[in-house]
Amino acid sequence: METHLGSRLVKTLDLSLGGVLYGGRMLDFVAEHAAIHAMKCTGEPHMVGYRFGEIVLSRPVRAGEIIDFSGGESRFGRSSVTFELTGRVGNEVAVRADCTFVAVDEHGCKKLLERVEK
């Protein structure tokens, strides 16, 4: 089951010289929505990106289009959560990424997850 995380309107300032969404901006969008999903599904306010596996940019995105982000089913480790994040424009997948985040304490050290999504 996927969870809707939010949407982004692609603006002219997000475009590359080729007139489509710059890959670096797309990765920024992915990282932000992935962090939101990690925090929501664990209940932990301090999650850091540990690994972004295969990231596939499968559709060019143009100014004025809206990317809807959703997070897939979460798999939990002792201190981590892993899930697939998908960004769609309409019904077409524009980006897909495998993401792993780790819970950290106030000193930045890894800590055990106490709460997980039901």
Side-chain angles (χ1 to χ4, degrees), residues 15-31:
L15 303 182
S16 69
L17 294 176
V20 296
L21 179 63
Y22 173 62
R25 287 293 290 153
M26 176 66 92
L27 296 179
D28 181 45
F29 296 168
V30 166

Side-chain angles (χ1 to χ4, degrees), residues 44-48 102-112:
E44 288 290 332
H46 304 290
M47 299 293 292
V48 295
V102 173
V104 296
D105 63 18
E106 61 276 0
H107 305 291
C109 297
K110 185 167 48 171
K111 73 176 207 171
L112 295 178

Side-chain angles (χ1 to χ4, degrees), residues 5 30 33-34 69-72 83-87 95-99:
L5 303 174
V30 166
H33 285 86
F69 289 94
S70 58
F83 52 88
E84 182 177 84
L85 184 123
T86 305
V95 63
R96 182 168 283 139
D98 295 318
C99 309

Side-chain angles (χ1 to χ4, degrees), residues 73-95:
E73 186 175 335
S74 302
R75 300 176 304 282
F76 295 93
R78 292 171 39 106
S79 60
S80 66
V81 61
T82 300
F83 52 88
E84 182 177 84
L85 184 123
T86 305
R88 290 184 176 83
V89 175
N91 292 327
E92 295 181 81
V93 173
V95 63

